[in-house]
Amino acid sequence: MDIFREMNTKGHERLLFWNDPDAGLNAIIAIHNTTLGPALGGCRIWPYNNTQEAIKDVLRLSRAMTYKASVCGINLGGGKSVIIGSQPKNREAVFRSFGRFVESLEGVYITAEDVGTSVSDMEIVKLQTSHVAGVSKEKGGSGDPSIATAIGVYWGIKACLKKVSGGESVAGKTVAIQGIGKVGFYLAEILSKEGARVFLTDIDRSRTEDIIKRFGGEYIPPKDIFSTAADIFCPCALGGILNNETIPLLKCRIVAGSANNQLEDERHGRLLYERGILYAPDYVINAGGLINVANEIEGYDKDKALSQVKSIYDTLLNIFRVSTVESIPTNMAADRMAEDRIRRKKASTGGL
Ligand code: NAD
């Protein structure tokens, strides 16, 4: 693997490695772009098959953070970190060591929780560095970001409804939710309380039962969720689920959910566009968690954070406007807007 070529292709600034055999830690931090501010992005633990796989993942994830912060108007850059391996036995040693790694970058990178890491892990990191977000409310942080993410998806769904029907109310609308985990659960609750009818699926059926008992939604087997007739399909489970096999099955007007990397490939954004299905780009509609955690940096204020999460509504309407005016898929419009903001900032500071 030619690492500089990989970094050049997508414009990464730095790639850093940390080896601590005493703690049993192999970690990588990727800094994609710091034009708008320090790079913020979570720390993922994953049992990669080899280092190349981990490098590819951290490069891809850090770039997505740049785009997310840029298009949502957040003054942060994009970064991400990965810890290679399965869940560590000695978390204190691992996360103290990882904290020293983060501290060595002197604030260029701010870490947070991600897949495989938790609020309590970030509290260990905080013993070694102040460049960490996503700690508990008791420690002055914002806690679990999932509620803010769900609220952001709710505002995103309203923006989609406004675009396709002129009205933004979810009352009486049908929503098929794939994945009733942390985000899916909160979202199903919010939508049900607002009068939407929800169809729910999860590979763990028991996760759907509480919502159905309280609000009368309907369980759908996982394999049938794509072909369920509903106004909105809401992916809140895995990435890569919008592809050549699933897009022809969809019977919805809108795809709007929290899952990361929903499009298997960028061309699937065009496929949705050509089918007349409005797609809310994933990194925009699921930015509520980032907006919430970014607030921690200046001192967390829940009301302020949640009112900023609401801005996802306007951001998406702007993206839909660009998509319509330029006759391009919404994912392409979002990328263009994110790149434009960075270009403008670079130009204003003499970087171009
Ligand atoms: P989670 O792990 O709590 O929930 C995911 C749920 O999806 C689980 O209940 C799981 O059983 C279910 N699932 C997995 N595969 C499935 C399948 N094939 N069919 C149906 N259900 C399936 O995760 P989460 O925190 O709720 O996040 C959901 C998605 O949103 C993820 O893609 C995540 O990366 C993304 N996201 C989350 C946040 C956040 O704040 N939690 C922020 C941004 C993006």
Side-chain angles (χ1 to χ4, degrees):
M1 178 190 223
D2 183 334
I3 289 181
F4 278 115
R5 196 168 62 203
E6 288 284 325
M7 291 173 73
N8 273 330
T9 318
K10 303 282 187 193
H12 288 81
E13 293 175 6
R14 298 196 207 183
L15 188 65
L16 305 113
F17 297 81
W18 185 262
N19 179 39
D20 183 347
D22 293 335
L25 175 62
N26 285 155
I28 310 174
I29 294 176
I31 310 288
H32 176 253
N33 191 295
T34 53
T35 306
L36 299 173
L40 188 144
C43 169
R44 175 168 295 198
I45 297 184
W46 197 255
Y48 297 101
N49 289 315
N50 52 55
T51 309
Q52 282 192 14
E53 216 179 74
I55 293 172
K56 281 201 165 159
D57 204 30
V58 76
L59 290 175
R60 178 180 66 85
L61 293 165
S62 60
R63 180 171 179 265
M65 292 306 293
T66 299
Y67 279 69
K68 185 184 287 214
S70 177
V71 82
C72 292
I74 301 169
N75 290 324
L76 288 170
K80 202 88 178 184
S81 52
V82 295
I83 291 178
I84 302 172
S86 41
Q87 287 294 323
K89 289 198 179 69
N90 189 347
R91 294 191 98 85
E92 164 121 24
V94 164
F95 285 102
R96 272 190 182 269
S97 178
F98 179 72
R100 289 194 289 279
F101 184 18
V102 173
E103 179 63 13
S104 72
L105 295 179
E106 299 177 331
V108 171
Y109 171 64
I110 302 163
T111 198
E113 63 180 293
D114 196 73
V115 175
T117 58
S118 65
V119 169
S120 60
D121 295 329
M122 292 308 122
E123 286 171 3
I124 302 173
V125 172
K126 204 172 167 58
L127 300 172
Q128 303 291 151
T129 181
S130 57
H131 308 301
V132 54
V135 296
S136 66
K137 289 181 183 151
E138 297 72 43
K139 299 232 159 58
S142 56
D144 181 1
S146 309
I147 303 174
T149 303
I151 293 172
V153 174
Y154 166 70
W155 282 106
I157 287 174
K158 284 168 93 64
C160 293
L161 286 168
K162 178 90 181 159
K163 169 71 181 164
V164 301
S165 63
E168 62 175 49
S169 170
V170 301
K173 297 289 184 287
T174 46
V175 190
I177 309 179
Q178 181 188 43
I180 310 301
K182 293 193 288 291
V183 178
F185 185 89
Y186 290 127
L187 186 62
E189 182 168 352
I190 297 169
L191 291 170
S192 302
K193 282 180 176 164
E194 292 279 317
R197 173 144 192 254
V198 293
F199 300 110
L200 313 170
T201 195
D202 198 292
I203 45 172
D204 176 356
R205 186 173 176 169
S206 68
R207 290 178 187 264
T208 64
E209 282 161 6
D210 187 31
I211 297 283
I212 291 172
K213 212 179 291 163
R214 285 163 59 203
F215 301 104
E218 193 180 315
Y219 170 76
I220 304 286
K223 66 174 176 39
D224 297 334
I225 196 73
F226 296 101
S227 55
T228 299
D231 297 305
I232 301 141
F233 172 53
C234 182
C236 293
L238 305 174
I241 45 92
L242 298 170
N243 53 45
N244 288 344
E245 283 75 47
T246 58
I247 291 173
L249 301 176
L250 294 174
K251 294 197 185 94
C252 58
R253 291 285 315 278
I254 293 167
V255 174
S258 75
N260 276 313
N261 305 313
Q262 291 170 32
L263 302 171
E264 190 178 284
D265 199 284
E266 291 202 1
R267 72 195 150 87
H268 294 113
R270 180 163 291 282
L271 210 54
L272 287 167
Y273 179 70
E274 285 167 358
R275 275 213 54 199
I277 296 173
L278 182 67
Y279 170 61
D282 48 12
Y283 67 78
V284 184
I285 193 168
N286 73 15
L290 172 67
I291 294 170
N292 196 48
V293 100
N295 264 271
E296 250 182 65
I297 297 163
E298 293 163 0
Y300 187 64
D301 173 341
K302 187 178 171 196
D303 292 340
K304 186 173 150 225
L306 292 184
S307 85
Q308 285 176 7
V309 168
K310 202 172 157 186
S311 69
I312 288 173
Y313 176 90
D314 292 318
T315 305
L316 279 170
L317 285 181
N318 276 335
I319 289 167
F320 299 154
R321 208 168 296 128
V322 171
S323 162
T324 304
V325 170
E326 311 218 354
S327 303
I328 54 173
T330 52
N331 57 312
M332 206 182 271
D335 286 0
R336 228 176 246 188
M337 286 168 62
E339 287 160 6
D340 277 355
R341 181 170 173 231
I342 292 170
R343 208 173 294 125
R344 281 199 309 274
K345 171 77 178 170
K346 260 191 185 154
S348 74
T349 53
L352 276 182

